Amino acid sequence: NVIERQTGPDRKNSPEELHDDWMQAYVRMGWRFGLVRDVEQKTHPDMVSYQALGQLERDKDEVFMALCEIARQWIYDPQQRDGVS
């Protein structure tokens, strides 16, 4: 669902927005912050604000957004792919 949204008109404009949406979805599923990711306990170390994430996690979010944008332009938007604006 995230890839579909990020390749469509309702895409998020920043990694921070994307992280906030991810975190809200996890909260709705009963997850909470924990030092380790534990599926049974539903804990995850990334259940923090975007600013509190480590640089590696922020970089992953930015790379994910960039890849979705490439897919949006070259796979999902045939006008972009064909050079039509």
Side-chain angles (χ1 to χ4, degrees):
N1 291 341
V2 175
I3 292 171
E4 285 181 24
R5 187 187 64 223
Q6 282 305 109
T7 56
D10 297 327
R11 62 191 169 275
K12 299 299 177 184
N13 294 315
S14 73
E16 184 172 359
E17 285 181 89
L18 197 62
H19 176 74
D20 289 346
D21 277 4
W22 170 85
M23 198 164 67
Q24 289 172 17
Y26 266 58
V27 166
R28 286 191 300 271
M29 293 185 293
W31 286 70
R32 59 187 164 62
F33 173 79
L35 294 177
V36 296
R37 184 178 184 276
D38 184 320
V39 176
E40 290 181 17
Q41 296 294 316
K42 291 189 173 182
T43 61
H44 200 298
D46 294 343
M47 298 287 293
V48 295
S49 70
Y50 184 77
Q51 292 80 14
L53 285 174
Q55 187 63 50
L56 179 61
E57 291 304 318
R58 290 192 308 263
D59 290 348
K60 283 186 205 176
D61 288 347
E62 289 189 35
V63 168
F64 175 76
M65 286 192 74
L67 290 171
C68 286
E69 182 61 15
I70 290 167
R72 183 187 71 79
Q73 289 183 17
W74 298 102
I75 298 170
Y76 295 101
D77 187 348
Q79 290 183 336
Q80 281 288 109
R81 182 183 62 229
D82 297 336
V84 177
S85 311

